[in-house]
Amino acid sequence: MATMTIKDIARICGVSISTVSRAINNDPAINEKTRERIMQVVREFNYIPNNSARNLKMAESNTVALIVKGINNPFFQGMFPYFQKELVAAGCDYFLHTISGSADEVYVAEEIAKEKRLKGIILLGGTMDYPDVVLKRIHVPLVLCSVAGFGVNDPNGGSHVSSVSIDDEKEAHKVVSYLCDRGHRQIAMLTGVRGDTNVGMMRLRGYRRALEENGIAYDEDLVAFMDEKNQEYTEANGYQMMTRLLKGRKKFTAVFVIADRMAIGAYKAIYDAGLRIPDDISVVGFDGIELTRYMEPSMTTVIQPVQKMTESSVRLLMDQINGSTERKHLLYEAELHERDSVLDLNAVFPKAELLHA
Amino acid sequence: MATMTIKDIARICGVSISTVSRAINNDPAINEKTRERIMQVVREFNYIPNNSARNLKMAESNTVALIVKGINNPFFQGMFPYFQKELVAAGCDYFLHTISGSADEVYVAEEIAKEKRLKGIILLGGTMDYPDVVLKRIHVPLVLCSVAGFGVNDPNGGSHVSSVSIDDEKEAHKVVSYLCDRGHRQIAMLTGVRGDTNVGMMRLRGYRRALEENGIAYDEDLVAFMDEKNQEYTEANGYQMMTRLLKGRKKFTAVFVIADRMAIGAYKAIYDAGLRIPDDISVVGFDGIELTRYMEPSMTTVIQPVQKMTESSVRLLMDQINGSTERKHLLYEAELHERDSVLDLNAVFPKAELLHA
DNA sequence: CTGAAAGCGCTTACAG
DNA sequence: CTGAAAGCGCTTACAG
């Protein structure tokens, strides 16, 4: 036999399909005995309601979609348990929907919203270069979490959505200032593609500002841009970019890498070049993924405030769902977590430093 | 305005909804001019069809679902690009659906199959302790890929599904034999929970058989079982288990870890204990995730034949979809990939070895 | 507490 | 090539 419908169950139980529907959906207006009898049959025949029919008919579900662009990103993976906790606490059903890096998130969001009668959407990751008019197409409450460059390209961006992220420029500035404070003056960087308009640009900007403030000239030979053809924040890319820098003619004592996974690749490139971390080269990553703790030496990195970000995303979404017309754009402070991958040159050459001054 | 339906488009274009439907679905039986005029309006108003209605009406979709249990597993993540390639090559639409470790995969599979009128399902990961009768509930072609312990608990398991995996017992045996060949005789193991009936058990069995063949007594003090309360193949667990072993009174020169991520944690535990890899302790991982290349030293591990496994999974699914009633259970050979985390004790103590003999 | 009926938004024979 | 109509499998007022 193919697959059961509510009609089959109704026939078997000798009741109407309305009654079966009520039994399944725990409608209070049903006789408990009837309900039990029906549920017995439901179990016996392993009847599963067709969600397409259900979604089609229902006015609104209680479901929120978490749409993730870039499922391979361990930073996002680290957020899932927090989202789960918050969404459940908010009393929502939710599901995770992953989309590829090339997918059109606005289209997908609207498509799923229709299909599932969503109550709201949290979009995690990706970049958001869409003008406001495009964003407006999404007819359900929407929150952008950790979406790179949101609002950057559209000064009016965000009048229809809320967003939560960190201040990339500021955090990069923090990292490089920290390195300067530790006596580093030749500081390399592994960043995104040349001409990046999102994270790469913001973090590069922070890097440059910190250098400037410390009286260090910007030297493009110390910046490795990502290959246009392979725009992934992977170990392989980090390895390859770091190797390129190491083979360059410019010396440096530290490197700031804009993603932890790339920094792991950079670690290996440094080791393969016969150098030590941090003795020869100091490394600072970005994101704060779990793995960085397990590197040798454990990696100093910028830990994004995952808990705050997820909490706020859910809260802002709930506010919208509950009718608030206010849209907020929250920027959280990340934490530069000191571990063992940065050498304090002041401690190594205290005398020399004094002479310099 | 809320959200557009096919009716709105029909009204705007002055045609029937049938015609709009045909335009959208590229029905050949439509006037090209009419089609273009309709599509113009569709684009202008950003009309998106409701998939629930579509799924409800359509007899069968062209879609295959890839249901993944354990999205955090980087081994599975490494498979996605291959699945994508194969599924596209097979001419299928597909989507990734992630479920939590505690979800009932059979229920979810059947639910989605109904909702989306799936053509078939590939289930990736998880364990499959379901008896055949439960599996039979899934009314669409089903292939189990890398599903632990499939058929182990049910001698008749598999008469309704096909499966693709590796021989866990054999691969573990391979690893431990390799270590013995390299002169190791005190070999520890980091495995799953005590009483595991799936991967953990199979790999432990292979470990024991290899020891036995090499005349080495099994010593449970050298085996770290995973905590019942925290059954995850994570770095944190590997770190904690390795630390426990290192603090034990038994000495060992090598450790076999049943998952790469755990092995990364083990690396760190070894370093934190002030020991070196492989000089003091040799490490072998399992799975062959990309990251192992970037560890220092690069990790010797068992690389699962991802490409073959994904290819075969898709092929077996297609066979079923095309009417084949044959069900196959393929076991592929993995590759013990030698890198730098194992010391050859024979090379270090060649004389001693000879004296031993 | 239960049932008959309408209808969610589509697709697809069928007729023209 | 196009339209009217049936129907996918449910939920939910409405009436009783």
Side-chain angles (χ1 to χ4, degrees), chain B residues 14-181:
Chain B
V15 296
S16 74
I17 60 166
S18 320
T19 303
V20 175
S21 175
R22 290 192 187 100
I24 289 165
N25 295 300
N26 277 308
D27 190 318
I30 190 177
N31 182 294
E32 187 54 30
K33 286 262 183 282
T34 316
R35 205 189 85 83
E36 270 170 23
R37 192 159 50 86
I38 293 171
M39 291 316 286
Q40 184 87 30
V41 174
V42 163
R43 273 188 299 272
E44 183 183 346
F45 290 86
N46 298 301
Y47 166 67
I48 298 175
N50 182 319
N51 277 327
S52 283
R54 195 172 245 181
N55 293 332
L56 185 58
K57 187 60 196 164
M58 285 198 316
E60 190 187 84
S61 75
N62 185 36
T63 306
V64 163
L66 182 57
I67 300 182
V68 186
K69 197 162 193 173
I71 186 62
N72 293 338
N73 189 334
F75 168 59
F76 294 152
Q77 286 168 29
M79 294 182 114
F80 296 158
Y82 293 95
F83 270 121
Q84 150 127 25
K85 181 168 158 283
E86 296 298 330
L87 256 1
V88 167
C92 292
D93 295 333
Y94 81 98
F95 67 94
L96 192 69
H97 190 268
T98 61
I99 58 177
S100 77
S102 57
D104 177 340
E105 47 264 68
V106 171
Y107 186 92
V108 172
E110 181 61 5
E111 187 181 28
I112 300 179
K114 278 195 171 187
E115 179 174 345
K116 309 269 192 188
R117 312 268 186 197
L118 292 182
K119 226 165 75 169
I121 297 175
I122 294 174
L123 201 54
L124 180 61
T127 61
M128 187 48 87
D129 297 326
Y130 300 96
D132 213 35
V133 61
V134 171
L135 239 37
K136 229 188 280 190
R137 279 188 214 154
I138 300 178
H139 290 88
V140 299
L142 176 65
V143 172
L144 272 26
C145 181
S146 203
V147 170
F150 176 67
V152 168
N153 299 314
D154 180 8
N156 293 321
S159 59
H160 291 84
V161 301
S162 289
S163 68
V164 176
S165 58
I166 57 163
D167 185 337
D168 287 289
E169 201 268 359
K170 178 176 169 184
E171 299 302 337
H173 174 267
K174 197 191 282 180
V175 169
V176 180
S177 302
Y178 168 84
L179 288 170
C180 290
D181 288 350

Side-chain angles (χ1 to χ4, degrees), chain A residues 62-355:
Chain A
N62 185 36
T63 306
V64 163
L66 182 57
I67 300 182
V68 186
K69 197 163 192 171
I71 185 62
N72 293 339
N73 189 333
F75 168 57
F76 293 153
Q77 286 167 29
M79 293 181 115
F80 296 158
Y82 292 96
F83 270 120
Q84 151 127 24
K85 180 167 158 282
E86 295 298 330
L87 256 1
V88 167
C92 291
D93 294 332
Y94 81 99
F95 66 95
L96 192 69
H97 190 266
T98 61
I99 58 178
S100 77
S102 58
D104 177 340
E105 47 264 68
V106 171
Y107 186 93
V108 172
E110 182 62 5
E111 188 181 28
I112 299 179
K114 277 195 171 185
E115 179 175 343
K116 308 268 192 187
R117 311 267 186 199
L118 292 183
K119 226 165 75 170
I121 297 175
I122 294 175
L123 202 54
L124 179 62
T127 60
M128 187 48 87
D129 298 326
Y130 300 96
D132 214 34
V133 61
V134 172
L135 240 36
K136 228 188 279 190
R137 279 188 214 151
I138 299 179
H139 290 89
V140 298
L142 176 65
V143 172
L144 273 26
C145 180
S146 203
V147 171
F150 176 67
V152 168
N153 299 314
D154 180 8
N156 293 321
S159 60
H160 292 84
V161 300
S162 290
S163 68
V164 176
S165 57
I166 58 164
D167 185 337
D168 287 289
E169 200 267 0
K170 178 177 170 185
E171 299 302 337
H173 175 267
K174 196 191 283 181
V175 168
V176 179
S177 302
Y178 168 84
L179 289 170
C180 291
D181 288 349
R182 298 289 168 297
H184 294 273
R185 295 191 64 83
Q186 289 91 34
I187 302 170
M189 179 174 183
L190 266 46
T191 187
V193 294
R194 193 184 296 269
D196 187 329
T197 55
N198 300 128
V199 210
M201 178 189 70
M202 301 301 285
R203 297 188 188 165
L204 183 59
R205 197 179 282 172
Y207 164 85
R208 295 188 66 156
R209 184 159 65 83
L211 289 184
E212 200 173 321
E213 286 173 11
N214 283 276
I216 302 172
Y218 173 70
D219 180 354
E220 205 176 279
D221 288 347
L222 288 180
V223 178
F225 292 96
M226 201 178 281
D227 190 345
E228 298 268 356
K229 293 178 207 84
N230 185 14
Q231 298 193 30
E232 289 186 318
Y233 295 73
T234 55
E235 293 82 10
N237 253 341
Y239 182 86
Q240 185 249 315
M241 290 161 73
M242 191 68 199
T243 302
R244 208 194 310 152
L245 233 40
L246 253 12
K247 283 186 178 153
R249 56 198 173 294
K250 296 291 175 64
K251 296 296 159 222
F252 53 94
T253 60
V255 61
F256 166 43
V257 188
I258 68 164
D260 286 334
R261 285 185 63 189
M262 286 170 63
I264 291 172
Y267 258 52
K268 186 66 175 176
I270 293 170
Y271 285 128
D272 282 359
L275 302 170
R276 291 157 305 165
I277 304 169
D279 312 67
D280 299 307
I281 296 187
S282 295
V283 179
V284 181
F286 204 106
D287 281 344
I289 64 174
E290 265 289 292
L291 254 183
T292 53
R293 277 190 54 198
Y294 296 96
M295 292 296 104
E296 182 63 23
S298 65
M299 191 188 295
T300 293
T301 185
V302 175
I303 300 189
Q304 296 205 46
V306 165
Q307 188 163 0
K308 279 184 190 158
M309 292 170 75
T310 51
E311 266 176 30
S312 299
S313 296
V314 173
R315 186 167 39 73
L316 290 177
L317 186 69
M318 286 306 157
D319 287 350
Q320 281 190 51
I321 289 171
N322 295 328
S324 166
T325 55
E326 196 184 3
R327 297 296 173 264
K328 291 187 184 159
H329 299 280
L330 305 182
L331 241 36
Y332 281 103
E333 173 114 18
E335 178 206 358
L336 175 52
H337 192 71
E338 299 193 51
R339 289 202 280 231
D340 306 318
S341 62
V342 173
L343 186 67
D344 187 347
L345 291 178
N346 301 322
V348 179
F349 308 113
K351 285 282 164 24
E353 269 307 298
L354 286 174
L355 287 176

Side-chain angles (χ1 to χ4, degrees), chain B residues 142-263:
Chain B
L142 176 65
V143 172
L144 272 26
C145 181
S146 203
V147 170
F150 176 67
V152 168
N153 299 314
D154 180 8
N156 293 321
S159 59
H160 291 84
V161 301
S162 289
S163 68
V164 176
S165 58
I166 57 163
D167 185 337
D168 287 289
E169 201 268 359
K170 178 176 169 184
E171 299 302 337
H173 174 267
K174 197 191 282 180
V175 169
V176 180
S177 302
Y178 168 84
L179 288 170
C180 290
D181 288 350
R182 297 291 168 296
H184 294 274
R185 297 191 63 83
Q186 289 91 34
I187 302 170
M189 179 174 184
L190 267 47
T191 187
V193 294
R194 191 185 298 271
D196 187 329
T197 55
N198 300 128
V199 210
M201 177 189 70
M202 302 301 286
R203 296 187 189 167
L204 183 59
R205 198 179 282 172
Y207 165 84
R208 294 187 66 158
R209 183 159 65 82
L211 289 184
E212 199 174 322
E213 286 172 12
N214 284 276
I216 302 172
Y218 173 70
D219 179 355
E220 205 175 279
D221 287 347
L222 288 180
V223 178
F225 291 97
M226 200 177 283
D227 190 345
E228 298 267 358
K229 296 178 206 83
N230 185 14
Q231 298 193 30
E232 289 185 318
Y233 295 75
T234 55
E235 294 82 9
N237 252 342
Y239 182 87
Q240 186 249 314
M241 289 161 74
M242 191 68 200
T243 301
R244 209 193 310 152
L245 233 40
L246 252 12
K247 283 187 178 153
R249 56 197 172 295
K250 296 291 176 62
K251 296 295 160 221
F252 52 93
T253 60
V255 61
F256 166 43
V257 188
I258 68 164
D260 286 335
R261 284 187 63 190
M262 285 170 63

